[in-house]
Amino acid sequence: MKLNAKTAAGLVGGKITGNPEAEIKGVSKIEEAVEGDLTFLYLASYEKYLETTGASVVLIDPSIKKGNKNITYIDVENPNLAFQKILTEYFNNPPTLSGIDSGAFIDPAAKTGENIAIGRNVVISAGCEIGDNVKIMHNVVLLENCSVGDNTIIYPNVTLREETKIGKNVIIHAGVVLGGDGFGFTPDSDGVYRKIPQIGNVVIKDNVEIGANATIDRAAMGSTVIGNGVKIDNLVQIAHNVVIGNNTVLSSQTGVSGSTKIGNNCILAGQVGVVGHIELADGVIIAAQSGVSKSLKKPGKYFGYPAKEMTTTLKLEAHIRNLPVYSQKLKDLEKKIKDLSEKLNN
């Protein structure tokens, strides 16, 4: 089916300015788009590309001025979300995999659902349960008693340790390790660290996406739990017994220490570090490279190390930048006081 501006606008509920028959052959970033491309614009910082872009159709925030007459515009309140919707409907081409490869091993004591696809060198151990429409790609290993819910996709080289539970509609990217031992050690009287057995598991609920090479440790006891709709970026580390609430997002290189509880609808930006045994309330947003050293009991934006409310941290940073000025002012004041004191004494 050919895609044009009229069809795209109908899909996202947008209003067209320009040629409704403008053909859409591909998608691209606004600064790289060529004729036939669809792109989107919602940030003011990208308006500079509107006059030079080669795109035929632009999804645009209604508040942005439409100066380029060669473009067909589609006004939508959320161009980013609208672009995602069109991508999903017309340009999403996931890797194909069908049937069960002859090089896969499925233990006779495992249960498998309908319409599954299993790649080469996959190992599915005894007691595992695989739901319907599941795709498990090459070199994936599931140890004993794992379960994978319907419509889940597991990309190559993923390891699920024993007892790991995966919900429905989950996407797990390459290199992920779920259920590795938590970092549990205790020193004896000689200062030698003794391993504490990690006998819990990992539970991933529905509609979760886990980025490449992320790691989620099994609980020491009980479960490490990732809530519904959580999105985890590449290279994230989640320690044992962590509980993450629904629809929370963790960006790349974030690390969460053991037994911490993170609420619903939180955002942890890149390289955030969180200490163990604390709680973050629903709706907490942590800016990049922050360190969270204590519980945050109310929603809001936090930044810095240790992480404080954003407005407080920005004020502190402004004062730190002005320390040389403050220092000079103090010196000038001290000199004035000294001069006045000498005059009075004379």
Side-chain angles (χ1 to χ4, degrees):
M1 177 182 177
K2 284 188 175 181
L3 177 62
N4 59 23
K6 182 178 179 181
T7 306
L11 179 65
V12 299
K15 179 183 177 182
I16 295 176
T17 301
N19 178 17
E21 302 301 324
E23 189 175 359
I24 297 170
K25 299 177 181 178
V27 294
S28 186
K29 297 186 292 184
I30 191 169
E31 65 269 34
E32 298 175 358
V34 297
E35 185 177 355
D37 281 348
L38 168 75
T39 190
F40 68 104
L41 174 61
Y42 73 106
L43 292 176
S45 58
Y46 283 81
E47 284 187 53
K48 60 188 177 184
Y49 297 113
L50 199 55
E51 288 301 318
T52 58
T53 186
S56 296
V57 182
V58 178
L59 296 158
I60 193 167
D61 187 293
S63 65
I64 295 176
K65 185 179 178 181
K66 307 170 186 66
N68 190 335
K69 302 298 183 183
N70 297 318
I71 294 172
T72 296
Y73 298 95
I74 301 176
D75 282 357
V76 282
E77 291 300 323
N78 190 332
N80 192 20
L81 187 60
F83 190 68
Q84 177 268 333
K85 193 171 184 178
I86 294 169
L87 280 178
T88 301
E89 184 70 21
Y90 290 99
F91 296 96
N92 187 30
N93 298 306
T96 57
L97 183 69
S98 60
I100 299 175
D101 193 280
S102 60
F105 171 78
I106 301 176
D107 192 281
K111 296 179 181 179
T112 56
E114 300 293 327
N115 192 37
I116 65 170
I118 307 293
R120 186 175 295 273
N121 299 326
V122 169
V123 175
I124 299 177
S125 303
C128 289
E129 296 185 9
I130 310 299
D132 297 338
N133 306 311
V134 169
K135 291 184 179 181
I136 301 177
M137 298 190 181
H138 316 296
N139 302 319
V140 172
V141 176
L142 282 67
L143 296 187
E144 290 74 12
N145 303 316
C146 292
S147 64
V148 179
D150 298 346
N151 307 310
T152 286
I153 300 174
I154 302 178
Y155 285 98
N157 301 311
V158 170
T159 299
L160 274 60
R161 283 276 305 275
E162 63 276 9
E163 308 289 344
T164 296
K165 310 299 179 187
I166 309 295
K168 298 178 181 179
N169 307 309
V170 172
I171 300 173
I172 303 174
H173 290 279
V176 166
V177 177
L178 301 179
D181 281 2
F183 194 66
F185 301 90
T186 189
D188 63 17
S189 58
D190 296 322
V192 176
Y193 280 87
R194 305 295 182 182
K195 184 176 178 64
I196 301 170
Q198 305 290 290
I199 61 173
N201 73 339
V202 169
V203 175
I204 309 293
K205 296 191 176 180
D206 298 342
N207 303 306
V208 171
E209 184 159 351
I210 303 174
N213 294 313
T215 55
I216 302 176
D217 292 343
R218 69 193 308 105
M221 294 178 287
S223 298
T224 301
V225 180
I226 309 300
N228 294 312
V230 169
K231 311 302 180 190
I232 297 172
D233 198 2
N234 306 331
L235 299 170
V236 168
Q237 155 64 11
I238 297 172
H240 55 189
N241 291 96
V242 168
V243 176
I244 298 179
N246 299 335
N247 300 310
T248 281
V249 176
L250 293 86
S251 295
S252 182
Q253 298 183 28
T254 285
V256 183
S257 300
S259 298
T260 282
K261 292 179 171 59
I262 298 175
N264 301 321
N265 301 106
C266 294
I267 299 173
L268 278 65
Q271 296 186 335
V272 166
V274 184
V275 302
H277 302 275
I278 65 171
E279 295 186 18
L280 305 187
D282 295 348
V284 164
I285 299 172
I286 311 294
Q289 295 192 327
S290 296
V292 184
S293 60
K294 63 180 182 179
S295 292
L296 302 175
K297 299 288 190 178
K298 60 181 182 178
K301 296 180 180 180
Y302 298 83
F303 174 55
Y305 183 81
K308 307 175 189 67
E309 288 185 300
M310 179 78 79
T311 52
T312 299
T313 302
L314 293 177
K315 287 176 183 177
L316 289 171
E317 288 296 319
H319 286 306
I320 289 170
R321 287 195 300 271
N322 286 317
L323 280 177
V325 176
Y326 297 157
S327 176
Q328 187 59 52
K329 285 182 176 180
L330 283 172
K331 288 177 182 178
D332 292 344
L333 286 170
E334 286 174 345
K335 185 176 184 303
K336 288 180 180 179
I337 291 169
K338 182 180 179 182
D339 292 344
L340 285 170
S341 178
E342 289 176 352
K343 285 181 180 179
L344 290 172
N345 291 331
N346 291 333

